[in-house]
Each structure stands twice: as C-alpha cells, then as structure tokens.
C-alpha cells in the first residue's frame, strides 16, 4: 500500500498519466497562455486585414456582358477607391454618368485628356497614332468592326470602351453628346482590381499601352489583405484547437492499457 501511494505521488509530480480535473482547461499553463496569445494575434490579423480591405475596396456587381471576357454578367468585383486623377490608360473603372445610366457602370479607359483615339482603320484601336495590342478583346470576332472616327479627348476627361466591343454601350454610343462620348475623371468611383465571385482573381495588367509610355497600374493591396485575413483565421483555429487536442492527448495517456 505504501509503495503504491509513493508511486502515485511520483507520477502526479512528474505529470505522467495525469488527467486534467473536470472543468479545468486541458494542457500546461504555458500551452494555454501561448494558445490564448495565438488566438489574440490571429483575431488582430483577421480583423485588421478585413477592416483594411473594407476601407480601401467597394464591391460591385456587373449586370451585363459589356466587359466580357474579362468580367462576365453577374460577376462580383472589388474596386479600389481611387481619385479619378490616378486613373491610367488600360484601367478598368467603375464610374457614374447619368446620361448613360442610372447605375454605376464598368468600362476600360483607353484614352485620357489630350489623346486622340480612333478605331479601326487597320483592324485595331489607335491612340495618338499608335496601334494598341488588346488581348482582352480577342474572344470578340467583331471587335475590329466597332469603328468610329478620330476623337480628341478633352482635358480632365476619359474615353471608355467595353472589352466586348460589339455589345457595349460605351463612349462610342455617346459620340454626339457634349464631350464626344467622354466622361469626367471626377465620375470615377473606383478601379477594379479583382473578380471575386466567381473567383477569377486579379485582373490581368493591360500592357498594350506601353507604346504610349504607360506602365500598367500596380495592383492594390488586396493580396496582402487576403493573406492577413487567411493567416488570422488559421491562427484563431489553431489556438482554439489547443485545449481540445491537449485534453484528448491527456485522456489517452491516462487510459490504462487493455489486458488480455
């Protein structure tokens, strides 16, 4: 009896075969503190990334096929909140123009103030006399037939086209209006960074305007924000799982082996 008592006491001191008392968290105190720290840090990353994205991006649903194949009808996009003065040629933007529609529209900027733009004497779009390579229109067999005479874009305005040139009501449909179908930079509400539903990901950069000295606009911080949210969620899950996992391992260590 005495030896058994001493053995039990030694086992309790060493922690071997110990079972956490009912109602107390399983695992060591250090493990519990670390798991709490992981959960707290994960929550900070998750909420920080989500809040950062909410401040910088606004969601829109594109109702038509005018931007096909880049964006389909019903696709959900995220547009970075930007000032119209930051917009470059090749950017896909969300804007409002009451003479066009009573809802936000999504089109691609192909020319800015001071540019001349025309289509399609040699089968493609020309800006300032330079032929622009537009891979995003290659699925449209009628893109090269959507011709219009040369337009000079007034200062502070934008000339906008849909990627589906044969089915888009864009600047070419408003050439007879004041401004020659152009839209004021101030009408821009955001620059589309990604299609998030269905998950097509980040938009491909429009490299064809490099012949005019325009580099594609760098992508916004969306990837970083998604990384923060994902890492935060994983840390919350990992930290919260520590207690149940430690309890399971403790119960297994405390279960006597079966005897035959």
């Amino acid at each position: 009896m005495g030896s058994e008592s001493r053995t039990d006491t030694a086992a309790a001191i060493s922690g071997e075969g110990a079972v956490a008392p009912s109602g107390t968290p399983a695992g060591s105190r250090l493990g519990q503190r670390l798991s709490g720290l992981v959960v707290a840090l994960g929550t900070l990353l998750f909420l920080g990334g989500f809040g950062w994205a909410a401040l910088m991006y606004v969601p829109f649903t594109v109702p038509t096929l005018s931007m096909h194949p880049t964006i389909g009808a019903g696709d959900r996009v995220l547009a970075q909140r930007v000032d119209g003065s930051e917009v470059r040629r090749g950017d896909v933007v969300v804007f409002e123009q009451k003479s066009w529609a009573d809802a936000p529209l999504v089109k691609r900027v192909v020319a800015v103030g001071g540019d001349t733009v025309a289509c399609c004497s040699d089968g493609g779009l020309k800006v300032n006399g330079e032929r622009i390579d537009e891979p995003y229109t290659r699925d449209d067999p009628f893109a090269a037939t959507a011709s219009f005479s040369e337009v000079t874009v007034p200062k502070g305005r934008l000339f906008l086209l849909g990627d589906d040139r044969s089915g888009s009501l864009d600047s070419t449909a408003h050439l007879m209006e004041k401004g020659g179908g152009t839209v004021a930079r101030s009408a821009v509400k955001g620059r589309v960074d990604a299609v998030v539903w269905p998950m097509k990901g980040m938009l491909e950069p429009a490299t064809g305007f490099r012949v005019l000295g325009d580099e594609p606009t760098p992508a916004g911080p969306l990837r970083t924000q998604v990384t923060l949210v994902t890492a935060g969620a994983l840390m919350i899950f990992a930290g919260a799982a520590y207690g149940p996992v430690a309890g399971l391992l403790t119960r297994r260590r405390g279960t006597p082996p079966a005897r035959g």
Side-chain angles (χ1 to χ4, degrees):
M1 293 290 291
S3 62
E4 291 179 1
S5 176
R6 287 194 298 272
T7 302
D8 292 342
T9 302
I13 294 173
S14 66
E16 295 177 2
V19 180
S22 177
T24 63
S28 67
R29 288 184 180 179
L30 177 60
Q32 293 165 16
R33 289 174 182 173
L34 289 177
S35 69
L37 182 62
V38 169
V39 170
L41 181 57
T43 302
L44 181 64
L45 291 177
F46 182 87
L47 294 179
F50 192 83
W52 183 17
L55 288 173
M56 295 202 66
Y57 287 92
V58 59
F60 290 95
T61 299
V62 179
T64 71
L65 284 169
S66 66
M67 284 298 295
H68 177 81
T70 306
I71 305 170
D75 284 2
R76 193 78 166 167
V77 302
L78 285 181
Q80 184 181 357
R81 303 176 195 267
V82 297
D83 187 85
S85 62
E86 302 174 50
V87 172
R88 303 180 187 179
R89 305 179 189 95
D91 288 347
V92 176
V93 298
V94 178
F95 65 99
E96 292 182 355
Q97 181 75 359
K98 293 300 182 183
S99 63
W100 291 24
D102 291 329
L105 299 168
V106 179
K107 306 291 179 190
R108 188 181 296 274
V109 176
V110 298
V112 299
D115 288 346
T116 58
V117 55
C119 190
C120 294
S121 58
D122 64 348
L125 183 74
K126 276 191 173 183
V127 180
N128 298 339
E130 297 287 347
R131 172 75 162 78
I132 306 300
D133 180 34
E134 297 187 286
Y136 38 80
T137 67
R138 287 175 183 160
D139 287 347
D140 182 3
F142 304 105
T145 66
S147 61
F148 56 91
S149 301
E150 186 174 272
V151 175
T152 299
V153 182
K155 187 176 180 179
R157 299 185 73 84
L158 305 167
F159 197 87
L160 301 144
L161 297 178
D163 287 356
D164 183 2
R165 299 290 157 79
S166 60
S168 174
L169 296 177
D170 47 37
S171 288
T172 61
H174 300 273
L175 292 174
M176 302 307 296
E177 296 178 8
K178 183 179 179 180
T182 61
V183 171
R185 282 183 177 270
S186 60
V188 173
K189 303 302 177 185
R191 180 174 54 225
V192 177
D193 253 10
V195 178
V196 294
W197 187 261
M199 294 188 67
K200 298 179 181 177
M202 306 295 286
L203 296 192
E204 291 293 327
T207 58
F209 294 89
R210 283 176 172 158
V211 296
L212 302 173
D214 257 7
E215 286 296 320
T217 300
L222 184 60
R223 284 193 177 98
T224 302
Q225 293 161 352
V226 171
T227 299
L228 290 176
V229 170
T230 303
L234 291 174
M235 291 177 71
I236 292 171
F237 176 80
Y242 171 77
V245 171
L248 177 62
L249 294 177
T250 300
R251 285 193 297 272
R252 286 185 175 179
R253 286 197 301 267
T255 301
R259 298 184 179 181

